[in-house]
């Protein structure tokens, strides 16, 4: 029979240190009482633990009352499970740990739950009826495996070394281990003959231990890898595989359709090259050939960043990339250096990470939208920083599509780049044309200088408005192979004429040349499917091209802005032949004659501005045909007669301006009752004798003067 005694941590520690001495002193007695016990050396080789157990007092024995319960459970549990009291005690200790019951407590309300858990544990340990358990399968060994680790002993004390067992994953620490002691024949505790060896249990199963071990190894490896990557310092680019050039577009400006191309070689088949090889590659696409090697140039600084500071270099040596892929990232890096004076200034948003080598990529991109009068409004859009570890196609303002690549099979290529309104400085970066798949470039609303270069004519969309460009439009900018659809060079300092070759641009839909110093006439527009023309605020002269040649644009033109120029001659009677015309603004010129009646046939026209010219004659009553008209401004001319009552039949009218003319009579009072009317101006001063009477005008002016009164 064995009796279990509760031991505190100091007793356990003392027993562990004294274990070897006890075993050596009582070696002969143990051989007599336990003939089947294995030698200590064999136990250590089999990785078994020994626990020294002492006999306890009767007052602290689990067979007596204690804790919060009234009666110890071990004897009853041993009887129900048909196991020894020692094994019952060990099972009960495990169950109490799992149920959060203190080892010295025996709460009656948890007895049933504890016994049920002990039955489950007994089955897990292999008990079926009343098995004669071997030390290796004993649940007492499982309890031993959860005990605190032994204190370190002398190096020559081999028998005192222990092996850490599997601990129960519970928040509270396990209670002190019970020790089993054997009563002597005379009924007293015999410390010299009561060493009982308890071997480790085989629970949990080997399969579970294997799975847990694999999981621990994988988690540990992941943590170590993550910490090592985060702690690395930026380093010089490792030798990289020799890239191979991808096929270029088959025609100028034409974007080849992506095709499935498989890599021609495996990564191991590529020889490595030095950074100097990449410098030679970069030198072929920017500035003069020696700019990349000349310290202080944007080309040099961008190349050095690529080789020594690029955060993505940590993984670049695992990648196989073509020359075009390397050039693409380099050109975007070069763009940033060239437009920030080698990073002495910053863009408006999404600048590079503050700390070199930082893996931070997130930013808020200020994305602009141009509204009336060239003003910008910004939307805040989550994006990725420039010169960050992110792929360059994920940088703010960059758009890409998948194209074929002879090295990787497929890669992302830049097709659109928009850095409008980001406070760029320096010159227009013409090197961006080296991006073979680039179709759209928007660098408007910045502080860029330079000239319009013919290299851009292969793009489909080019927006450079509101910068400081000088020079003229190159004569060879437009030709029969031109694929440009949208050109905006407005609000710059450009001079010269609009080339006659513009009519060759057979895909042009929008042409903006406003607010420059262009002279000459507006050329024949040919067969371009033009929808928008804005040539206002220049020094253009001659007549409008509506009588010169009718091509595709006659059917497609919607917006014609040519105000504040030096255009002259009569307004064309052929205006009625442009059915898509919606917005017609030619004020501030030198037009003569009358307002063509054919103009009033344009049912899509919502704005007519012919103010500040030299037009004469009456306003025809057929104006009622402009059923969508919102704004009618004929002020500052020599119009005669009266404002016809029929104009009040246009239910969409919002603005009507007729001041500074020679009109007489009364402004139609029906205009006063139009719910859409907002502005009504006429020559209704002086009040005692006005040339025209107006009962609801918002502004009255005195003819021939600048004297106007708003109401």
């Amino acid at each position: 029979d064995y009796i279990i005694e509760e031991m505190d941590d100091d007793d356990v520690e003392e027993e562990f240190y004294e274990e070897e001495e006890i075993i050596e002193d009582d070696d002969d007695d143990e051989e007599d009482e336990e003939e089947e016990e294995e030698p200590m050396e064999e136990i250590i080789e089999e990785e078994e633990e020994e626990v020294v157990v002492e006999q306890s007092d009767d007052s602290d024995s689990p067979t007596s009352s204690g804790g919060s319960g009234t009666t110890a459970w071990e004897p009853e549990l041993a009887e129900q499970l048909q196991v020894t009291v020692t094994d019952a005690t060990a099972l009960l200790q495990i169950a109490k740990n799992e149920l959060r019951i203190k080892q010295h407590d025996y709460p009656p309300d948890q007895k049933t739950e504890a016994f049920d858990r002990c039955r489950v544990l007994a089955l897990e340990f292999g008990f079926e009826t009343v098995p004669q358990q071997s030390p290796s399968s004993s649940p007492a060994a499982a309890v031993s495996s959860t005990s605190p680790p032994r204190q370190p002993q002398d190096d020559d004390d081999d028998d005192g070394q222990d092996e850490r067992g599997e601990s129960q994953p519970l928040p509270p620490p396990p209670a002190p281990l019970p020790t089993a002691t054997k009563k002597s024949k005379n009924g007293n505790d015999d410390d010299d003959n009561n060493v009982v060896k308890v071997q480790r249990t085989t629970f949990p199963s080997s399969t579970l231990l294997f799975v847990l071990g694999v999981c621990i190894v994988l988690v540990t490896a992941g943590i170590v890898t993550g910490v090592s990557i985060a702690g690395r310092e930026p380093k010089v680019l490792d030798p990289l595989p020799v890239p191979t050039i991808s096929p270029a577009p088959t025609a100028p400006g034409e974007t080849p359709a992506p095709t499935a191309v498989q890599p021609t070689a495996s990564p191991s088949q590529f020889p490595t090259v030095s950074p100097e090889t990449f410098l030679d590659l970069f030198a072929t696409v920017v500035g003069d050939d020696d700019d990349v090697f000349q310290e202080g140039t944007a080309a040099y600084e961008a190349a050095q960043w690529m080789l020594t500071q690029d955060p993505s270099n940590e993984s670049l040596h695992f990648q196989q990339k073509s020359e075009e892929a390397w050039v693409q990232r380099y050109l975007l890096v070069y763009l940033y250096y060239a437009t920030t004076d080698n990073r002495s200034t910053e863009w408006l948003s999404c600048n590079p990470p503050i700390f070199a080598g930082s893996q931070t990529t997130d930013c808020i991109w200020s994305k602009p939208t141009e509204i009336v009068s060239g003003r910008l409004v910004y939307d805040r859009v989550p994006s990725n920083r420039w010169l960050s570890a992110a792929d360059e196609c994920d940088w703010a303002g960059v758009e890409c599509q998948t194209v074929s690549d002879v090295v990787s099979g497929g890669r992302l290529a830049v097709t659109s780049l928009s850095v409008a309104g980001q406070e760029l400085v320096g010159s227009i970066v013409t090197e961006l044309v080296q991006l073979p798949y680039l179709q759209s470039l928007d660098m408007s609303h910045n502080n860029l200088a330079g000239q319009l270069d013919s290299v851009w004519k292969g793009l489909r969309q080019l927006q450079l408005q509101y910068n400081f460009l000088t020079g003229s439009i190159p004569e060879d900018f437009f030709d029969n192979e031109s694929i440009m659809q949208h050109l905006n060079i407005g609000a710059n300092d450009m001079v010269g004429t609009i080339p006659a070759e513009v009519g060759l641009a057979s895909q042009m839909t929008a042409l903006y040349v406003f607010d420059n110093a262009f002279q000459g006439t507006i050329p024949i527009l040919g067969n371009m499917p033009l929808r928008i023309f804005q040539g206002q605020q220049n020094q253009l002269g001659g007549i409008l091209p509506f009588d010169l040649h009718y091509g595709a644009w006659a059917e497609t033109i919607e917006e014609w802005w040519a105000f504040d120029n030096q255009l002259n001659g009569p307004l064309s009677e052929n205006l009625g032949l442009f059915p898509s015309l919606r917005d017609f603004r030619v004020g501030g010129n030198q037009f003569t004659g009358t307002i063509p009646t054919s103009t009033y046939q344009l049912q899509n026209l919502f704005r007519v501005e012919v103010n500040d010219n030299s037009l004469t004659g009456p306003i025809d009553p057929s104006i009622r045909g402009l059923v969508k008209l919102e704004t009618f401004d004929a002020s500052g001319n020599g119009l005669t007669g009266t404002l016809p009552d029929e104009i009040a039949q246009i239910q969409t009218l919002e603005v009507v301006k007729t001041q500074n003319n020679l009109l007489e009579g009364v402004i139609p009072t029906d205009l006063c009752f139009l719910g859409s009317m907002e502005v009504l101006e006429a020559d209704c001063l002086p009040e005692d004798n006005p040339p025209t009477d107006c009962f609801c005008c918002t502004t009255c002016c005195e003819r021939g003067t600048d004297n106007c009164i708003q109401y």
Side-chain angles (χ1 to χ4, degrees):
D1 294 335
Y2 291 86
I3 300 177
I4 304 302
E5 175 187 18
E6 290 287 332
M7 296 179 60
D8 56 22
D9 293 339
D10 293 335
D11 293 336
V12 174
E13 179 178 350
E14 181 179 355
E15 288 297 336
F16 281 137
Y17 277 108
E18 294 176 356
E19 179 179 5
E20 180 184 13
E21 181 179 353
I22 294 173
I23 294 175
E24 290 177 354
D25 293 341
D26 300 330
D27 185 48
D28 296 335
D29 294 338
E30 289 183 41
E31 290 180 357
D32 295 338
E33 295 180 8
E34 298 178 14
E35 296 179 356
E36 297 179 0
E37 185 172 319
E38 297 178 3
M40 182 66 67
E41 291 78 11
E42 184 176 349
I43 295 175
I44 294 176
E45 292 175 356
E46 296 177 358
E47 297 185 350
E48 297 177 342
E49 294 185 1
E50 297 182 351
V51 178
V52 179
V53 263
E54 298 179 345
Q55 184 174 2
S56 65
D57 310 310
D58 292 341
S59 61
D60 294 333
S61 172
T63 59
S64 63
S65 327
S68 61
T70 58
T71 305
W73 298 339
E74 285 82 350
E76 182 181 350
L77 178 63
E79 182 179 354
Q80 288 187 16
L81 298 182
Q82 298 182 9
V83 297
T84 65
V85 175
T86 301
D87 288 338
T89 301
L91 291 171
L92 190 57
Q93 276 199 302
I94 297 174
K96 282 186 175 184
N97 281 338
E98 295 180 355
L99 299 176
R100 309 295 198 278
I101 302 174
K102 294 183 178 179
Q103 294 298 327
H104 59 278
D105 287 346
Y106 298 88
D109 56 340
Q110 291 185 274
K111 177 178 179 181
T112 302
E113 187 177 4
F115 275 36
D116 290 342
R117 181 55 189 156
C118 287
R119 290 188 183 91
V120 174
L121 292 173
L123 291 177
E124 292 179 354
F125 283 119
F127 292 101
E128 294 182 356
T129 56
V130 192
Q132 184 64 33
Q133 299 182 67
S134 65
S136 61
S137 62
S138 171
V143 176
S144 174
S145 67
T146 64
S147 63
R150 298 179 180 178
Q151 298 296 326
Q153 300 181 4
D154 295 337
D155 294 341
D156 58 348
D157 193 5
D158 296 335
D159 293 342
Q161 296 178 357
D162 80 305
E163 177 182 281
R164 185 184 301 273
E166 298 291 331
S167 61
Q168 297 292 332
L170 298 173
L177 287 175
T179 58
T181 61
K182 193 173 184 181
K183 280 191 175 183
S184 62
K185 294 180 181 180
N186 56 10
N188 298 324
D189 292 342
D190 188 357
D191 294 338
D192 296 334
N193 301 309
N194 294 333
V195 178
V196 179
K197 299 177 183 178
V198 184
Q199 295 181 340
R200 295 183 60 188
T201 178
T202 58
F203 175 81
S205 65
S206 59
T207 303
L208 178 59
L209 289 176
F210 175 79
V211 173
L212 290 176
V214 171
C215 293
I216 292 173
V217 169
L218 292 177
V219 171
T220 303
I223 293 174
V224 171
T225 302
V227 171
S228 62
I229 291 177
R232 291 181 183 174
E233 296 292 336
K235 59 182 181 181
V236 177
L237 184 66
D238 290 336
L240 297 165
V242 174
T244 306
I245 299 178
S246 299
T250 56
E254 181 180 352
T255 303
T259 56
V261 180
Q262 299 299 326
T264 57
S266 63
S268 61
Q269 294 175 311
F270 289 94
T272 57
V273 295
S274 64
E276 286 73 17
T277 302
F278 286 96
L279 294 178
D280 291 336
L281 173 63
F282 299 154
T284 63
V285 294
V286 293
D288 296 331
D289 291 343
D290 60 346
D291 280 356
V292 170
F293 303 95
Q294 185 174 350
E295 187 173 354
T297 64
Y300 173 86
E301 298 298 334
Q304 293 304 309
W305 184 90
M306 283 283 293
L307 296 177
T308 64
Q309 302 177 41
D310 189 348
S312 67
N313 281 357
E314 294 295 336
S315 59
L316 285 183
H317 61 283
F318 295 112
Q319 303 175 13
Q320 306 299 330
K321 299 173 69 173
S322 64
E323 284 187 358
E324 286 184 349
W326 292 114
V327 166
Q328 173 175 281
R329 188 171 180 88
Y330 173 69
L331 284 173
L332 294 186
V333 175
Y334 172 72
L335 168 65
Y336 188 85
Y337 274 89
T339 56
T340 58
D341 193 14
N342 285 345
R343 298 184 68 175
S344 62
T345 64
E346 288 187 337
W347 288 0
L348 178 64
S349 58
C350 287
N351 289 285
I354 297 177
F355 301 105
S358 171
Q359 296 297 315
T360 301
T361 63
D362 296 345
C363 68
I364 299 298
W365 178 244
S366 297
K367 183 179 181 180
T369 300
E370 185 176 311
I371 58 175
V372 179
S373 301
R375 293 187 298 114
L376 293 180
V377 293
Y378 290 91
D379 294 322
R380 294 174 61 82
V381 181
S383 189
N384 289 285
R385 295 181 179 276
W386 279 66
L387 276 62
S388 67
D391 189 280
E392 65 272 13
C393 283
D394 294 326
W395 292 353
V398 181
E399 296 182 9
C400 297
Q401 71 177 20
T402 303
V403 299
S404 61
D405 187 87
V406 296
V407 175
S408 62
R411 68 178 181 90
L412 289 174
V414 176
T415 58
S416 176
L417 178 59
S418 176
V419 289
Q422 297 302 313
E423 302 178 358
L424 277 63
V425 298
S427 300
I428 297 292
V429 183
T430 57
E431 287 84 357
L432 292 175
V433 297
Q434 299 291 340
L435 298 171
Y437 297 93
L438 184 64
Q439 301 177 20
S440 175
L441 176 63
D442 186 354
M443 303 179 74
S444 62
H445 295 271
N446 285 296
N447 301 305
L448 299 173
Q451 296 186 355
L452 182 65
D453 199 298
S454 297
V455 298
W456 299 116
K457 68 180 181 180
L459 298 179
R460 294 188 181 276
Q461 181 169 307
L462 178 62
Q463 298 185 75
L464 300 174
Q465 70 271 24
Y466 294 98
N467 278 291
F468 297 96
L469 300 185
T470 57
S472 60
I473 301 175
E475 292 184 359
D476 60 345
F477 196 84
F478 305 100
D479 54 36
N480 291 324
E481 297 180 351
S482 176
I483 63 171
M484 185 164 290
Q485 300 173 352
H486 184 114
L487 175 63
N488 194 335
I489 52 175
N492 280 287
D493 299 320
M494 300 184 69
V495 296
T497 62
I498 302 175
E501 289 79 7
V502 68
L504 299 176
S506 59
Q507 298 187 38
M508 185 72 69
T509 60
L511 179 60
Y512 300 84
V513 294
F514 63 90
D515 196 8
N516 281 285
F518 290 122
Q519 299 176 338
T521 61
I522 300 175
I524 296 174
L525 300 179
N527 288 319
M528 64 172 63
L530 194 65
R531 293 190 307 105
I532 300 173
F533 174 79
Q534 290 192 12
Q536 69 273 17
Q537 298 172 322
N538 280 288
Q539 301 172 20
L540 298 173
I543 63 174
L544 292 176
F546 291 89
D547 289 332
L548 299 178
H549 178 76
Y550 301 133
W553 72 282
E555 297 292 330
T556 59
I557 192 68
E558 299 177 5
E559 186 175 295
W560 185 272
W561 293 9
F563 57 87
D564 295 341
N565 277 290
Q566 300 173 11
L567 299 170
N568 52 60
L571 294 177
S572 175
E573 284 289 343
N574 294 324
L575 279 174
L577 301 178
F578 295 80
S580 298
L581 190 61
R582 301 176 65 249
D583 193 350
F584 184 65
R585 308 186 195 186
V586 292
N589 283 286
Q590 302 169 12
F591 290 115
T592 58
T594 62
I595 300 176
T597 56
S598 63
T599 305
Y600 304 141
Q601 301 173 10
L602 300 175
Q603 296 186 0
N604 290 316
L605 201 61
F606 76 88
R607 187 192 302 267
V608 174
E609 293 183 358
V610 293
N611 55 292
D612 299 318
N613 281 286
S614 299
L615 299 175
T616 58
I619 299 174
D620 196 87
S622 61
I623 193 174
R624 63 178 178 271
L626 300 177
V627 294
K628 295 182 180 179
L629 187 64
E630 297 176 3
T631 299
F632 178 73
D633 187 355
S635 61
N637 283 286
L639 299 176
T640 58
T642 61
L643 185 64
D645 292 339
E646 287 79 3
I647 194 173
Q649 298 178 15
I650 304 174
Q651 300 298 310
T652 56
L653 272 178
E654 297 177 359
V655 178
V656 175
K657 297 181 179 181
T658 61
Q659 71 273 24
N660 291 317
N661 276 288
L662 300 176
L663 296 174
E664 299 177 347
V666 179
I667 300 299
T669 57
D670 288 345
L671 290 175
C672 301
F673 301 100
L674 285 179
S676 58
M677 283 296 299
E678 297 178 0
V679 177
L680 180 58
E681 300 179 357
D683 292 331
C684 42
L685 288 181
E687 294 181 356
D688 56 348
N689 187 25
T692 57
D693 289 324
C694 185
F695 300 103
C696 60
C697 281
T698 59
T699 301
C700 281
C701 297
E702 185 175 357
R703 182 177 295 169
T705 69
D706 295 331
N707 181 27
C708 293
I709 299 177
Q710 285 188 332
Y711 297 100

